[in-house]
Amino acid sequence: MSKEVYDAVLLTAEAVGVSMASKKLLKEPLGAGYLFKMFDKNGYAEEAKRHNMAMESLTAKREKYLEKVTDRRNKVAQPREELAETNSDIKSTNQSLELVRRINELTRKTLPRKPQLSNHYKPSPEMEEYMALFGLLVGGAVGGAAYLML
């Protein structure tokens, strides 16, 4: 668009320059009016009609062009939005996979052994005898009670 504006400014400057030069040299401005004066009345009307038709055609073509450009931008914008959404989904999925990996890593490690009294206390030989006798007595009592119940 800036190129079109630049071209329009150059053309306008050229037209003004030619008009001013022709006014000084020929004592009559050269320009579109001068060219149309050269036509007879019918020629001027026909040329004006052709010019107007060309301007209408140009306007219609520009409108179609702008519609196509807008449609294209909209068609490009939709996949870009989908891409952004997909990237967000991918990021979310990657975060979820990282959490699963960390969970798996933590669950694969063996748990420390549960502390037990036997790891810290070793009974004396005398206590071991008493415990054996107590076990036999309790075992015999439980066995006898079970026998009587049957």
Side-chain angles (χ1 to χ4, degrees):
M1 185 170 157
S2 62
K3 183 173 179 358
E4 291 175 0
V5 171
Y6 178 74
D7 290 344
V9 168
L10 283 179
L11 286 174
T12 304
E14 288 173 5
V16 168
V18 168
S19 177
M20 290 175 77
S22 67
K23 204 181 230 185
K24 289 196 185 237
L25 295 174
L26 302 174
K27 307 291 183 203
E28 187 174 325
L30 267 181
Y34 178 78
L35 291 175
F36 287 132
K37 274 187 188 178
M38 295 297 134
F39 289 118
D40 60 352
K41 287 188 178 182
N42 291 335
Y44 173 79
E46 285 179 26
E47 190 62 28
K49 188 176 183 180
R50 285 181 61 230
H51 179 267
N52 290 340
M53 288 176 60
M55 288 302 291
E56 288 175 11
S57 174
L58 176 64
T59 303
K61 295 282 184 182
R62 281 187 178 165
E63 286 175 4
K64 285 182 183 178
Y65 168 77
L66 289 175
E67 286 176 11
K68 287 180 180 179
V69 167
T70 303
D71 288 344
R72 182 171 182 250
R73 285 182 184 157
N74 291 340
K75 287 179 181 177
V76 169
Q78 182 181 4
R80 283 188 177 158
E81 289 173 10
E82 290 176 9
L83 179 63
E85 187 177 317
T86 303
N87 284 339
S88 173
D89 291 345
I90 288 171
K91 184 178 179 182
S92 174
T93 302
N94 286 341
Q95 288 174 343
S96 298
L97 289 173
E98 178 61 22
L99 289 174
V100 167
R101 185 194 64 76
R102 286 177 44 205
I103 289 169
N104 286 339
E105 182 180 297
L106 291 172
T107 56
R108 284 189 188 124
K109 289 182 180 177
T110 58
L111 290 175
R113 292 185 63 195
K114 186 176 179 181
Q116 295 178 353
L117 181 61
S118 62
N119 294 338
H120 302 281
Y121 171 71
K122 193 72 171 166
S124 66
E126 232 178 76
M127 187 59 148
E128 285 180 355
E129 285 180 29
Y130 288 125
M131 286 172 52
L133 282 174
F134 181 73
L136 285 175
L137 287 174
V138 171
V142 171
Y147 178 73
L148 289 176
M149 291 174 108
L150 293 174

